[in-house]
Amino acid sequence: MKSGMNDVDRKVLSRSLLDIAWSFGPKGLDGSCCQDLGMAEFLALDGISRIADCPVQQVGHSLGFTKSGATRIVSRLVMKGYVSKRSSGHDARVCCLEVTEHGREMLSQAYAQYGNLLNRVFSGLDETEKGELQESLIRFSTLLMRENYQEENR
Amino acid sequence: MKSGMNDVDRKVLSRSLLDIAWSFGPKGLDGSCCQDLGMAEFLALDGISRIADCPVQQVGHSLGFTKSGATRIVSRLVMKGYVSKRSSGHDARVCCLEVTEHGREMLSQAYAQYGNLLNRVFSGLDETEKGELQESLIRFSTLLMRENYQEENR
DNA sequence: CCATTTAGTTGACGTCGTCAACCAATAGTG
DNA sequence: CACTATTGGTTGACGACGTCAACTAAATGG
């Protein structure tokens, strides 16, 4: 067999990834990432925090939402006080999004919760195993993101 | 440091897992696992296929839905022709769910799609790397499921 | 200067899961 | 054996969420 991975392997792996996606994602952490933030909102907030003067479109793009969906998720984050919005000086059409202090607190709190979960999951493993697992997960994530990127620029 | 994993590590890992969850899960595969099945529906279908005469409650339980939500997702699957429902002979309250032939086709087709994605993601890795990565992902999934289990029986 | 493109918003809408109330069937108890 | 409590499942009202299409306003480009 060319690929070296048979149907059973792929199915088991797919199911494992689905389980990870389900329990770490939408249904993880008691149904929402953190307090009043859903998963998409959390990802949006995190995305905004990584880009200076992030435009609304950018949020939609990185989440795979339409620009309408982007407006909606951003306005929710603004309403909750996690993000501030002002229009750009250079181009009055674009908005500059910025994470507020309140938003940064929320972000680090949410990451702390995820960290706690990871600690519980990893408890019982020795340092070497922990390190290997972590490295593999990050590597897979990188590969997956790369594939997504290639996919959308096809 | 006791845990051996610092804040930065945990944050990077969390974000990686979130990315996996987002792109392999709700937003992966063009927004839905396969044709007219959403992620939750797919997981429900897969769950039902693994249990003989699966009751409705069981579906809700494994997805973390209320029994109401379970009824709803099951009735959707029945409506779409992927699942058949009949009441048990032993206890007239419980329903016996069974995946139909149509459902099985859908299931294997969906897994095939996931498999294709995985093949694309893994393309460029040698067999050893591929195997290691796969093993790590399955291992992490197992640990995560175990933690979820302990969590809910606390 | 006018046509086109681009950033963003909004109303109507469909999907999805929850909550609470409810029905029917079974189990437990005096 | 009746009577109550529990359990499996369903349903109406609801809120959260994202899409679609139409729209506004601000650039951009002959």
Side-chain angles (χ1 to χ4, degrees):
Chain A
M1 185 176 293
K2 180 164 161 282
S3 92
M5 219 195 310
N6 64 38
D7 281 1
V8 175
D9 287 340
R10 271 198 296 258
K11 185 168 171 180
V12 170
L13 181 51
S14 296
R15 177 67 208 206
S16 292
L17 284 163
L18 251 358
D19 284 337
I20 292 174
W22 190 250
S23 62
F24 205 86
K27 272 297 164 183
L29 295 176
D30 301 319
S32 61
C33 290
C34 208
Q35 295 177 42
D36 58 352
L37 283 186
M39 183 185 185
E41 286 171 2
F42 178 78
L43 288 176
L45 187 58
D46 188 57
I48 294 167
S49 81
R50 291 164 194 264
I51 296 175
D53 293 335
C54 178
V56 172
Q57 300 269 27
Q58 178 59 42
V59 176
H61 184 257
S62 62
L63 265 69
F65 285 177
T66 62
K67 58 182 185 167
S68 167
T71 296
R72 296 236 137 93
I73 201 168
V74 165
S75 68
R76 243 146 54 215
L77 290 174
V78 170
M79 199 153 47
K80 290 172 183 172
Y82 297 136
V83 164
S84 70
K85 184 167 75 170
R86 57 172 230 287
S87 75
S88 163
H90 300 299
D91 185 335
R93 290 171 305 179
V94 317
C95 297
C96 296
L97 302 176
E98 215 68 60
V99 175
T100 63
E101 188 50 40
H102 187 192
R104 284 191 196 287
E105 279 167 27
M106 169 55 66
L107 220 36
S108 69
Q109 202 178 329
Y111 270 121
Q113 287 207 27
Y114 275 117
N116 288 337
L117 171 60
L118 288 176
N119 283 341
R120 290 200 304 277
V121 170
F122 283 153
S123 70
L125 302 187
D126 63 40
E127 292 307 314
T128 314
E129 274 185 304
K130 222 179 275 193
E132 281 173 9
L133 219 43
Q134 172 169 346
E135 204 176 317
S136 292
L137 290 167
I138 294 175
R139 179 142 169 65
F140 180 75
S141 171
T142 308
L143 290 169
L144 189 55
M145 293 300 101
R146 188 173 304 165
E147 168 58 25
N148 283 168
Y149 180 77
Q150 286 172 356
E151 188 76 8
E152 75 189 22
N153 297 28
R154 216 176 26 173
Chain B
M1 185 176 294
K2 180 165 162 280
S3 92
M5 219 195 310
N6 63 39
D7 282 359
V8 175
D9 288 340
R10 272 197 296 258
K11 185 167 171 180
V12 170
L13 181 52
S14 296
R15 177 67 208 206
S16 293
L17 284 163
L18 250 359
D19 284 336
I20 292 173
W22 191 248
S23 61
F24 204 85
K27 272 297 166 183
L29 295 177
D30 301 321
S32 61
C33 290
C34 208
Q35 295 177 43
D36 58 350
L37 284 184
M39 181 183 187
E41 286 171 1
F42 177 78
L43 288 175
L45 187 58
D46 188 58
I48 293 168
S49 80
R50 291 163 193 265
I51 297 175
D53 293 335
C54 177
V56 172
Q57 299 268 28
Q58 178 59 43
V59 176
H61 183 256
S62 62
L63 266 68
F65 285 177
T66 62
K67 58 181 184 168
S68 167
T71 296
R72 298 235 137 95
I73 200 167
V74 165
S75 66
R76 243 147 52 214
L77 289 174
V78 170
M79 199 156 45
K80 290 173 183 172
Y82 298 135
V83 164
S84 70
K85 184 167 76 172
R86 56 171 230 287
S87 76
S88 164
H90 301 300
D91 185 335
R93 290 171 305 179
V94 318
C95 296
C96 296
L97 302 176
E98 215 68 59
V99 175
T100 62
E101 188 50 40
H102 187 190
R104 282 189 199 287
E105 280 166 27
M106 169 54 67
L107 219 36
S108 68
Q109 201 178 330
Y111 270 122
Q113 287 207 27
Y114 275 118
N116 288 337
L117 172 61
L118 289 176
N119 282 342
R120 289 200 304 278
V121 170
F122 284 154
S123 70
L125 301 187
D126 64 40
E127 292 308 313
T128 315
E129 273 184 306
K130 223 180 273 194
E132 281 173 9
L133 219 43
Q134 172 170 345
E135 205 176 317
S136 291
L137 290 167
I138 294 175
R139 180 141 170 65
F140 180 74
S141 171
T142 307
L143 291 169
L144 189 54
M145 293 300 102
R146 186 173 305 164
E147 167 58 26
N148 283 167
Y149 181 77
Q150 286 173 356
E151 188 75 8
E152 76 190 22
N153 297 28
R154 219 177 23 173

Short mmCIF file of all heavy atoms in Angstrom, two decimals, chain B residues 16 27 36 55 71 82 92 102 104 107 124:
data_model
loop_
_atom_site.label_atom_id
_atom_site.label_comp_id
_atom_site.label_asym_id
_atom_site.label_seq_id
_atom_site.Cartn_x
_atom_site.Cartn_y
_atom_site.Cartn_z
N SER B 16 -2.75 25.68 19.68
CA SER B 16 -2.64 24.64 18.65
C SER B 16 -3.85 23.72 18.70
O SER B 16 -4.42 23.36 17.67
CB SER B 16 -1.37 23.82 18.85
OG SER B 16 -0.23 24.61 18.59
N LYS B 27 -15.70 23.85 11.72
CA LYS B 27 -15.44 24.61 10.52
C LYS B 27 -14.66 23.83 9.48
O LYS B 27 -14.40 24.31 8.38
CB LYS B 27 -14.66 25.89 10.87
CG LYS B 27 -15.55 27.05 11.23
CD LYS B 27 -16.42 27.44 10.04
CE LYS B 27 -17.56 28.35 10.45
NZ LYS B 27 -18.44 28.66 9.31
N ASP B 36 -25.00 16.68 4.27
CA ASP B 36 -26.01 17.30 5.12
C ASP B 36 -25.84 16.97 6.60
O ASP B 36 -26.76 17.12 7.38
CB ASP B 36 -27.42 16.89 4.66
CG ASP B 36 -27.60 15.38 4.67
OD1 ASP B 36 -26.61 14.67 4.85
OD2 ASP B 36 -28.74 14.92 4.49
N PRO B 55 -30.18 3.64 22.86
CA PRO B 55 -31.27 4.51 23.29
C PRO B 55 -30.96 5.98 23.01
O PRO B 55 -29.79 6.33 22.85
CB PRO B 55 -31.37 4.26 24.79
CG PRO B 55 -30.18 3.48 25.18
CD PRO B 55 -29.38 3.14 23.99
N THR B 71 -33.13 14.16 21.65
CA THR B 71 -34.32 13.90 20.83
C THR B 71 -34.22 14.62 19.50
O THR B 71 -34.47 14.06 18.44
CB THR B 71 -35.59 14.39 21.56
OG1 THR B 71 -35.77 13.63 22.74
CG2 THR B 71 -36.80 14.21 20.67
N TYR B 82 -30.84 8.27 8.03
CA TYR B 82 -29.59 7.63 8.44
C TYR B 82 -29.78 6.69 9.62
O TYR B 82 -28.91 5.88 9.92
CB TYR B 82 -28.54 8.68 8.79
CG TYR B 82 -28.18 9.57 7.63
CD1 TYR B 82 -28.07 10.95 7.77
CD2 TYR B 82 -27.95 9.01 6.38
CE1 TYR B 82 -27.75 11.75 6.69
CE2 TYR B 82 -27.62 9.81 5.30
CZ TYR B 82 -27.53 11.17 5.46
OH TYR B 82 -27.21 11.96 4.39
N ALA B 92 -41.10 -0.28 27.17
CA ALA B 92 -41.76 0.49 26.11
C ALA B 92 -41.40 1.97 26.13
O ALA B 92 -41.80 2.71 25.25
CB ALA B 92 -43.27 0.33 26.22
N HIS B 102 -28.23 3.28 4.47
CA HIS B 102 -27.93 4.62 3.99
C HIS B 102 -26.99 5.34 4.96
O HIS B 102 -26.05 6.03 4.56
CB HIS B 102 -29.26 5.40 3.84
CG HIS B 102 -29.11 6.73 3.21
ND1 HIS B 102 -30.12 7.66 3.17
CD2 HIS B 102 -28.06 7.31 2.59
CE1 HIS B 102 -29.69 8.74 2.56
NE2 HIS B 102 -28.46 8.57 2.20
N ARG B 104 -24.90 3.92 7.02
CA ARG B 104 -23.56 3.33 7.00
C ARG B 104 -22.74 3.85 5.82
O ARG B 104 -21.55 4.10 5.94
CB ARG B 104 -23.65 1.81 6.92
CG ARG B 104 -23.97 1.23 8.27
CD ARG B 104 -23.89 -0.26 8.38
NE ARG B 104 -24.65 -0.66 9.56
CZ ARG B 104 -24.25 -0.45 10.81
NH1 ARG B 104 -23.08 0.10 11.04
NH2 ARG B 104 -25.01 -0.80 11.82
N LEU B 107 -21.57 7.26 6.68
CA LEU B 107 -20.52 7.18 7.67
C LEU B 107 -19.18 6.86 7.02
O LEU B 107 -18.16 7.53 7.28
CB LEU B 107 -20.89 6.08 8.66
CG LEU B 107 -20.63 6.26 10.15
CD1 LEU B 107 -20.83 7.68 10.59
CD2 LEU B 107 -21.53 5.31 10.94
N GLY B 124 4.35 14.40 2.55
CA GLY B 124 5.63 15.05 2.76
C GLY B 124 6.35 14.53 3.99
O GLY B 124 7.54 14.76 4.16
#
